[in-house]
Amino acid sequence: MYHLGQDLPGNDVDDIEDLISADDVKPRERYENKKNVTVRAKKRTAIRLETEEEEKPKPTIHESVIPGTQKVFVKTWGCAHNNSDSEYMAGQLAAYGYRLSGKEEADLWLLNSCTVKNPSEDTFRNEIESGMRNGKHVVVAGCVPQGAPKSDYLSGLSVIGVQQIDRVVEVVEETLKGHSVQLLQNKKKVHGRRLAGASLSLPKVRKNPLIEIISINSGCLNQCTYCKTKHARGDLASYPPEEVVERARQSFAEGCCEIWLTSEDTGAYGRDIGSSLPELLWQLVEVIPEHCMLRVGMTNPPYILEHLDEVAKVLQHPRVYSFLHVPVQSGSDSVLGEMKREYCRQDFEHVVDFLRERVPGVTIATDIICGFPTETEDDFEETMTLCAKYRFPSLFINQFFPRPGTPAAKMERIPANLVKKRTKRLTDLFYSYEPYAERTGEIYTVLVTEVSHDKLHYVGHNKSYEQVLLPMRENLLGTRVHVRITSASKFSMVGEILDDERDWTRCANKQEGPEVQTQTRSREKLIQRYVAIALVVGSLAFVIQLLVRFLLQ
């Protein structure tokens, strides 16, 4: 198994299961992006003559591709599902002999896109143009080309569809030879059932060697009017439980100590194959080694409602984080109806109330879309009261983006200044409370698996999946330690380690190498030999003792 270095350029994708992170495009960058794109387009069509165009360096055409002689740069936008897909593609390329590198020295750029928001697609398009300007071969993947393959800026490029990531090697190979390959079809049905995608057993290059991201299903059962991802991922298709469990076993054996389950909607898992999310979770907890953890990914309210009792029980398990991401999007039933979210505010409140009552310390994260086309002032006030009521520690606030081809894109939009005003009001509310303000002095057990954004701390998570920043001590990553909270900020706590290094606990999960296994077998054989000799000697002694007694009678 190959592992991706923490500092490899282009792979600095954080946990963006929730589609919002510190690395998201900032508002200023967003407007600069749009300005630059507009100006360039005008120059090309109205001012610049064909003879005046700057000559762009052309990619080197490789008539024969010898594995190991070309370098590939991989960049990812979007959710944890996309991140997992990139890890699989990088793993196959590395296993075949290609070298993963930074963008400057690479021969080919593999760009894995996200179609959720306009800014993500803008930066994706700009990266394509940058690669072509610099004479790089470019292969595109992900939800943008899958959902809109006829986009002008994708013309002539090689494309890997979301269900064809297991064919990345042949696409890269042909692209380096100067050919254009497009693989967008779904996997063939088996017994009339649509497959979820490529096999989960493919090799991986993990962004973080301690964390395995497992996609348990692809697509969803919803028809949300604002969502473009549905165009790319399609209807629900679940992986069989035994395949997911086997992938988890494999990951733990390779040294992972944390698993993230991801999909477009984990709550809908199994409905197409006669299974369910709780059924899968109970099978998974059986194979999680001691001191390792499982995180359940995003679930929409409709499909978690009928499993609430079982989900609450699973979240209480000592090897499962007490954490759930349940996006509500709006506090107004009217807006939820226009979004076709298939639940009402009361349903969402029931989910939150039930889990908070049954699961001690549970963390509920949610999302809000500000400025959906039909949202009135009264509708927005209902969203404000919902967020004020629950004071979510993780609240992801998005402005509405009209995605081409979606029903919401055809609706009359709310003035931009009004959307910004509402977004600011909700953001101010979110920053008005400190969820960790009273935690100083508290003691937690945390699993340390990540490096902070500023590269100054290690990050551990407690049972509630709350972030605790720790000093960057040698050998700390991949251990469970006891910490005392010394200070807190809006998004995390800072802790001091209470244990000596000899008391740090590691997951006893990694498979031993061939030499260690050979030594172990030799020791076992030696022990068996000594035990056999001891049994023989003992038996002889017993027989002699019986003979002595018989002769003395």
Side-chain angles (χ1 to χ4, degrees), residues 483-525:
V483 302
R484 179 187 291 113
I485 303 305
T486 58
S487 63
S489 65
K490 173 66 179 175
F491 298 101
S492 61
M493 295 170 277
V494 177
E496 61 177 356
I497 301 170
L498 300 179
D499 307 320
D500 292 330
E501 184 171 348
R502 64 177 178 271
D503 297 322
W504 297 352
T505 307
R506 289 194 174 273
C507 303
N509 55 353
K510 193 165 185 177
Q511 284 183 339
E512 297 167 332
E515 292 181 7
V516 175
Q517 290 176 350
T518 301
Q519 293 171 3
T520 302
R521 284 195 294 269
S522 298
R523 284 196 300 269
E524 288 173 351
K525 287 181 179 179

Side-chain angles (χ1 to χ4, degrees), residues 255-292:
C256 292
C257 55
E258 188 169 290
I259 282 182
W260 297 350
L261 300 185
T262 186
S263 76
E264 283 65 57
D265 186 353
T266 59
Y269 172 82
R271 284 174 170 258
D272 56 321
I273 58 173
S275 185
S276 68
L277 179 63
E279 181 180 320
L280 173 65
L281 293 177
W282 285 124
Q283 290 185 45
L284 281 169
V285 296
E286 293 296 320
V287 302
I288 303 173
E290 191 176 4
H291 310 304
C292 295

Side-chain angles (χ1 to χ4, degrees), residues 36-50:
N36 290 341
V37 170
T38 304
V39 171
R40 283 202 299 271
K42 287 181 179 178
K43 283 184 178 179
R44 280 200 292 268
T45 56
I47 300 174
R48 184 178 290 174
L49 298 175
E50 190 173 336

Side-chain angles (χ1 to χ4, degrees), residues 202-316:
L202 293 170
K204 260 195 176 188
V205 170
R206 296 187 180 95
K207 175 204 162 196
N208 184 336
L210 299 175
I211 297 175
E212 166 70 2
I213 305 169
I214 303 179
S215 303
I216 63 174
N217 56 269
S218 181
C220 67
L221 294 173
N222 299 330
Q223 298 289 341
C224 300
T225 55
Y226 57 83
C227 181
K228 182 78 170 177
T229 306
K230 179 78 172 186
H231 297 196
R233 298 283 182 179
D235 292 327
L236 177 70
S238 304
Y239 284 99
E242 58 272 16
E243 189 172 351
V244 178
V245 172
E246 183 53 38
R247 181 67 201 186
R249 288 183 195 271
Q250 180 184 344
S251 304
F252 287 127
E254 290 165 355
C256 292
C257 55
E258 188 169 290
I259 282 182
W260 297 350
L261 300 185
T262 186
S263 76
E264 283 65 57
D265 186 353
T266 59
Y269 172 82
R271 284 174 170 258
D272 56 321
I273 58 173
S275 185
S276 68
L277 179 63
E279 181 180 320
L280 173 65
L281 293 177
W282 285 124
Q283 290 185 45
L284 281 169
V285 296
E286 293 296 320
V287 302
I288 303 173
E290 191 176 4
H291 310 304
C292 295
M293 295 296 287
L294 171 71
R295 192 190 80 174
V296 182
M298 185 273 288
T299 174
N300 285 311
Y303 305 110
I304 202 69
L305 278 166
E306 66 186 74
H307 300 308
L308 269 181
D309 191 53
E310 285 300 301
V311 168
K313 290 176 183 176
V314 174
L315 294 181
Q316 294 177 66

